[in-house]
Every structure is written in C-alpha cells, then in structure tokens.
Coordinates of all heavy atoms in Angstrom, one line a residue:
S1 N 99.6 95.8 108.1 CA 99.3 95.3 109.5 C 100.4 95.5 110.5 O 100.2 95.5 111.7 CB 99.0 93.8 109.4 OG 100.2 93.0 109.0
F2 N 101.6 95.9 110.0 CA 102.8 96.2 110.9 C 103.0 97.7 111.0 O 102.8 98.2 112.1 CB 104.0 95.5 110.4 CG 105.2 95.6 111.3 CD1 105.2 95.0 112.6 CD2 106.3 96.4 111.0 CE1 106.3 95.2 113.4 CE2 107.4 96.5 111.8 CZ 107.4 95.9 113.1
W3 N 103.3 98.4 110.0 CA 103.7 99.8 110.1 C 102.5 100.7 110.5 O 102.8 101.7 111.1 CB 104.5 100.3 108.9 CG 103.7 100.4 107.6 CD1 103.6 99.5 106.6 CD2 103.0 101.6 107.2 NE1 102.9 100.0 105.6 CE2 102.5 101.2 105.9 CE3 102.7 102.8 107.7 CZ2 101.7 102.1 105.1 CZ3 101.9 103.7 107.0 CH2 101.4 103.4 105.7
T4 N 101.3 100.3 110.1 CA 100.2 101.2 110.5 C 99.8 101.2 111.9 O 99.1 102.0 112.4 CB 98.9 100.9 109.6 OG1 98.6 99.5 109.9 CG2 99.2 101.1 108.1
K5 N 100.4 100.2 112.7 CA 100.1 100.1 114.1 C 101.1 100.9 114.9 O 101.0 101.0 116.1 CB 100.3 98.6 114.5 CG 99.3 97.6 113.9 CD 97.9 98.0 114.2 CE 96.9 96.9 113.7 NZ 96.9 96.7 112.2
A6 N 102.0 101.5 114.2 CA 103.0 102.4 114.9 C 102.4 103.6 115.5 O 101.3 104.1 115.0 CB 104.1 102.8 114.0
D7 N 103.0 104.2 116.6 CA 102.5 105.4 117.2 C 102.5 106.5 116.1 O 101.5 107.4 116.0 CB 103.3 105.8 118.4 CG 102.9 105.1 119.6 OD1 102.0 104.3 119.6 OD2 103.6 105.4 120.7
K8 N 103.5 106.6 115.3 CA 103.7 107.6 114.2 C 103.9 106.8 113.0 O 105.1 106.7 112.5 CB 104.8 108.6 114.6 CG 104.5 109.3 115.9 CD 105.6 110.3 116.2 CE 105.3 111.0 117.5 NZ 106.5 111.9 118.0
P9 N 102.9 106.3 112.3 CA 103.1 105.3 111.2 C 103.9 105.8 110.1 O 104.7 105.1 109.6 CB 101.6 105.0 110.8 CG 100.8 106.0 111.4 CD 101.5 106.5 112.6
F10 N 103.7 107.0 109.6 CA 104.4 107.5 108.4 C 105.8 107.8 108.7 O 106.7 107.6 107.9 CB 103.7 108.6 107.8 CG 102.4 108.2 107.1 CD1 101.2 108.5 107.7 CD2 102.4 107.5 105.9 CE1 100.0 108.1 107.1 CE2 101.2 107.2 105.3 CZ 100.0 107.4 105.9
Q11 N 106.1 108.3 109.9 CA 107.5 108.5 110.3 C 108.2 107.2 110.5 O 109.4 107.0 110.2 CB 107.6 109.3 111.6 CG 107.1 110.8 111.4 CD 107.3 111.6 112.6 OE1 108.4 111.7 113.2 NE2 106.2 112.2 113.1
F12 N 107.5 106.2 111.0 CA 108.1 104.8 111.1 C 108.3 104.2 109.8 O 109.4 103.6 109.5 CB 107.2 103.9 112.0 CG 107.7 102.5 112.1 CD1 108.8 102.2 112.9 CD2 107.1 101.5 111.3 CE1 109.3 101.0 113.0 CE2 107.7 100.2 111.4 CZ 108.7 99.9 112.3
L13 N 107.4 104.4 108.8 CA 107.6 103.9 107.5 C 108.8 104.5 106.8 O 109.6 103.9 106.2 CB 106.4 104.1 106.6 CG 106.4 103.6 105.2 CD1 106.6 102.1 105.2 CD2 105.1 104.0 104.4
A14 N 109.0 105.8 107.0 CA 110.2 106.5 106.5 C 111.5 105.9 107.1 O 112.5 105.7 106.4 CB 110.1 108.0 106.8
F15 N 111.4 105.6 108.4 CA 112.5 104.9 109.0 C 112.8 103.5 108.4 O 114.0 103.1 108.2 CB 112.3 104.7 110.5 CG 113.1 103.5 111.1 CD1 114.4 103.7 111.4 CD2 112.5 102.3 111.4 CE1 115.2 102.7 112.0 CE2 113.3 101.3 111.9 CZ 114.6 101.4 112.2
C16 N 111.7 102.8 108.0 CA 111.9 101.5 107.4 C 112.7 101.6 106.1 O 113.6 100.8 105.8 CB 110.5 100.8 107.1 SG 109.6 100.4 108.6
F17 N 112.3 102.6 105.3 CA 113.1 102.8 104.1 C 114.6 103.1 104.4 O 115.5 102.6 103.7 CB 112.5 104.0 103.3 CG 111.1 103.7 102.7 CD1 110.1 104.7 102.9 CD2 110.8 102.6 102.1 CE1 108.8 104.4 102.4 CE2 109.5 102.3 101.6 CZ 108.5 103.2 101.7
E18 N 114.8 104.0 105.4 CA 116.1 104.4 105.7 C 117.0 103.2 106.3 O 118.1 103.0 105.9 CB 116.1 105.6 106.7 CG 117.4 106.3 106.9 CD 117.6 107.4 105.8 OE1 116.8 107.4 104.8 OE2 118.4 108.3 106.0
W19 N 116.4 102.5 107.2 CA 117.0 101.3 107.8 C 117.4 100.3 106.8 O 118.5 99.7 106.8 CB 116.2 100.8 108.9 CG 116.8 99.7 109.7 CD1 116.5 98.3 109.6 CD2 117.9 99.8 110.7 NE1 117.3 97.6 110.5 CE2 118.2 98.5 111.2 CE3 118.6 100.9 111.2 CZ2 119.1 98.3 112.1 CZ3 119.6 100.7 112.1 CH2 119.8 99.4 112.6
T20 N 116.5 100.0 105.9 CA 116.7 99.0 104.8 C 117.9 99.4 103.9 O 118.7 98.6 103.5 CB 115.4 98.7 104.0 OG1 114.4 98.3 104.9 CG2 115.7 97.7 103.0
A21 N 117.9 100.7 103.6 CA 119.0 101.2 102.7 C 120.3 101.2 103.5 O 121.4 100.9 102.9 CB 118.7 102.7 102.3
Y22 N 120.3 101.4 104.8 CA 121.5 101.4 105.6 C 122.0 100.0 105.7 O 123.3 99.8 105.5 CB 121.1 101.9 107.0 CG 122.2 101.7 108.1 CD1 123.4 102.4 108.0 CD2 122.0 100.9 109.2 CE1 124.4 102.2 108.9 CE2 123.0 100.7 110.1 CZ 124.2 101.4 110.0 OH 125.1 101.2 111.0
L23 N 121.2 99.0 105.9 CA 121.6 97.6 105.9 C 122.2 97.1 104.6 O 123.2 96.4 104.5 CB 120.5 96.7 106.3 CG 119.9 96.8 107.7 CD1 118.8 95.8 108.0 CD2 121.0 96.7 108.8
A24 N 121.5 97.6 103.5 CA 122.0 97.2 102.1 C 123.4 97.9 101.9 O 124.3 97.2 101.3 CB 121.1 97.7 101.1
H25 N 123.6 99.1 102.4 CA 124.9 99.7 102.3 C 126.0 98.9 103.0 O 127.1 98.7 102.5 CB 124.8 101.1 102.9 CG 126.1 101.9 103.0 ND1 126.4 102.7 101.9 CD2 127.1 102.0 103.9 CE1 127.6 103.3 102.2 NE2 128.0 102.9 103.4
L26 N 125.7 98.4 104.2 CA 126.7 97.6 104.9 C 126.9 96.3 104.3 O 128.0 95.8 104.2 CB 126.2 97.4 106.4 CG 126.0 98.6 107.2 CD1 125.6 98.3 108.6 CD2 127.3 99.4 107.3
E27 N 125.8 95.7 103.7 CA 126.0 94.4 103.1 C 126.9 94.4 101.8 O 127.5 93.5 101.4 CB 124.6 93.8 102.7 CG 123.8 93.3 103.9 CD 122.4 93.0 103.6 OE1 122.0 93.1 102.4 OE2 121.6 92.6 104.5

C-alpha cells in the first residue's frame, strides 16, 4: 500500500533496500 503508490515503484523499492542498509551501517 506504500511503495506501489510511488511514481516509479520498483525504483523506489530499490531505494528502500539501499536506505535501510545505509541506516543499519550507521547504527
């Protein structure tokens, strides 16, 4: 219900994976 509403859903989902990994790296 969240990521499929994006203008570019699969590119946004790829960002979600990357951003989550980035935050985990900092944590």
